[in-house]
Amino acid sequence: MTTREETIRAFLKEAGWEKAERRPLAGDASTRRYERLSLSGRPAVLMDWPSGPDAPVIEGRAAYSRIAHLAEDCRPFVAVGEHLRGLGLAAPEIFARDLAHGLLLLEDLGDHVYGELIEKGEGPAGEPLDDLYRAGMETILRLQSVPAPAALPVGDGTAHELPRFDDSVFRAELDVLLDWYFPVVLEREATAQMRADYHGLWTALRPHVDAGVETLFLRDYHSPNMLWLGDRDGAARVGLIDFQDALIGSRAYDVVSFLQDARRDVPPAREQAMLALYLERAKAELPGFDEEEFRASYAVLGAERALRLIGLWPRLLKRDGKPHYMAHMPRTMDYLRRNLAHPVLGDLRAWLDAHVLAKV
């Protein structure tokens, strides 16, 4: 039987990179693996992504990745990446591909990760952080400037049909809090009545999630997945490396993902300044844009996203043996409270005060 390493070596040989120096790159919370390659001074990145779900079936339920429409092979990465490049955005160029084995040889977009620059307090050439955030907002506006595509070509004669932020995704994300935060952090199970009440509250909030013109959103648009390319112009200054889970849905999703970054603090003043910038541009440039409607969607999706992460951090701790993600819990709780200040979330706030926040 051919080993994975033998398959990779054959792929690199076919691509002309068999003599490249190889060293591992830091991974993320997924099953993907990356290597940085160098060949005669030329850099590249190897993405090693065997197809399959993020976890096996448990108790008769499909893996979370399948329910939540997370990509389970590299085809969505290829399709969405080419779409982004067609818009002038800085997704990595694909130098070689083996879709059957889940191997891609990608353009290396460098080391200037947004998260590290935010921690440092400036860009690599001393650029103020506001420049990086403005470029991030420009990227979102560029993505939203075209109609949401129903499907995108993969390049092998097939197409990737873009999943929607439908009820299966929505309910799966809601259950993360109940399935993991309650038993791992609160050390008790959520009762059947709690589950019913929680889902009922979100059924009432769902119209705010669906409000407005739909767009393609990248889903994990935040500092670990963004690279600063200061020598480029406009929206192309933001390198994009994690977009395979893109969905069709609200314009607010990527905005709140970026301005309530799960991995780095975004002070309220910066969040509000960049949100004002987006709103000014969106009202002028995006058809059918309604500010009041957007603000409600932003708060509702911000709360939904924060609650999913509040459940995700314990899942990564307990199931995946990655305790360091729990360090993000206080920040995520802070973002949740910011969103709960919006009047449309009053009933949810009361439920959380009774069952979750009172325990913090």
Side-chain angles (χ1 to χ4, degrees):
M1 178 181 289
T2 303
T3 66
R4 188 68 181 171
E5 177 59 24
E6 288 170 337
T7 300
I8 291 171
R9 288 177 180 173
F11 169 70
L12 293 177
K13 182 177 182 179
E14 177 70 20
W17 283 73
E18 75 274 18
K19 295 183 179 179
E21 296 179 9
R22 299 166 54 187
R23 57 187 176 90
L25 269 174
D28 54 18
S30 75
T31 57
R32 296 181 297 277
R33 189 178 69 87
Y34 300 90
E35 291 183 12
R36 171 162 277 158
L37 276 58
S38 178
L39 180 65
S40 302
R42 290 185 295 147
V45 170
L46 172 70
M47 176 190 282
D48 175 12
W49 188 354
S51 64
D54 66 340
V57 172
I58 300 174
E59 297 178 357
R61 296 168 61 184
Y64 175 77
S65 60
R66 195 150 294 167
I67 299 169
H69 302 331
L70 301 181
E72 294 185 351
D73 60 45
C74 66
R75 295 175 71 260
F77 182 93
V78 173
V80 177
E82 291 304 306
H83 175 70
L84 297 177
R85 286 177 55 78
L87 293 175
L89 299 176
E93 181 180 352
I94 299 174
F95 299 145
R97 65 187 76 185
D98 181 345
L99 300 181
H101 291 104
L103 297 169
L104 298 175
L105 188 64
L106 305 171
E107 176 187 7
D108 188 341
L109 296 178
D111 293 313
H112 299 312
V113 180
Y114 259 62
E116 295 174 6
L117 299 176
I118 292 169
E119 189 75 12
K120 179 184 174 185
E122 63 181 11
E127 304 95 330
L129 283 185
D130 279 352
D131 284 2
L132 277 67
Y133 277 93
R134 290 189 190 99
M137 303 312 296
E138 177 75 25
T139 295
I140 293 174
L141 288 160
R142 180 74 60 82
L143 179 62
Q144 296 181 358
S145 69
V146 298
L152 295 170
V154 178
D156 62 352
T158 66
H160 168 55
E161 294 186 9
L162 274 302
R164 305 179 67 81
F165 191 70
D166 58 20
D167 207 55
S168 67
V169 182
F170 188 54
R171 300 297 170 181
E173 293 195 347
L174 295 180
D175 280 335
V176 178
L177 175 82
L178 304 173
D179 292 346
W180 294 97
Y181 186 81
F182 272 75
V184 176
V185 178
L186 300 182
E187 298 183 332
R188 58 185 173 85
E189 297 292 333
T191 67
Q193 188 60 55
M194 285 179 189
R195 288 177 177 272
D197 291 345
Y198 186 64
H199 277 270
L201 289 166
W202 281 104
T203 297
L205 290 168
R206 179 72 204 221
H208 295 291
V209 174
D210 296 330
V213 177
E214 290 185 326
T215 190
L216 174 68
F217 65 86
L218 302 186
R219 201 175 195 175
D220 286 316
Y221 185 72
H222 56 176
S223 62
N225 300 330
M226 303 166 67
L227 296 161
W228 178 245
L229 307 173
D231 57 342
R232 303 191 188 187
D233 297 321
R237 291 176 296 171
V238 181
L240 304 171
I241 57 172
D242 191 330
F243 42 76
Q244 63 283 335
D245 296 327
L247 296 175
I248 303 298
S250 173
R251 285 169 168 167
Y253 199 101
D254 279 347
V255 182
V256 76
S257 175
F258 182 43
L259 296 184
Q260 295 185 5
D261 190 327
R263 307 308 205 278
R264 289 291 184 270
D265 292 331
V266 182
R270 172 164 284 127
E271 178 188 4
Q272 292 306 312
M274 292 301 142
L275 182 57
L277 172 65
Y278 171 83
L279 291 169
E280 179 183 5
R281 291 277 306 273
K283 286 187 285 187
E285 299 172 18
L286 301 182
F289 188 86
D290 181 280
E291 179 176 349
E292 183 177 351
E293 179 182 74
F294 179 88
R295 284 186 179 274
S297 297
Y298 181 94
V300 170
L301 280 165
E304 188 271 343
R305 179 177 173 81
L307 288 165
R308 176 178 65 83
L309 292 170
I310 287 167
L312 176 63
W313 307 141
R315 188 178 81 187
L316 289 167
L317 165 70
K318 187 74 172 180
R319 189 193 74 183
D320 301 332
K322 298 177 178 180
H324 58 284
Y325 284 96
M326 289 296 290
H328 303 309
M329 186 69 80
R331 178 186 306 110
T332 313
M333 286 288 187
D334 177 61
Y335 291 147
L336 174 62
R337 291 186 172 95
R338 293 186 201 180
N339 293 306
L340 292 176
H342 196 286
V344 301
L345 291 166
D347 290 343
L348 177 66
R349 182 169 62 249
W351 187 92
L352 291 169
D353 282 341
H355 299 293
V356 177
L357 297 180
K359 313 298 180 183
V360 177

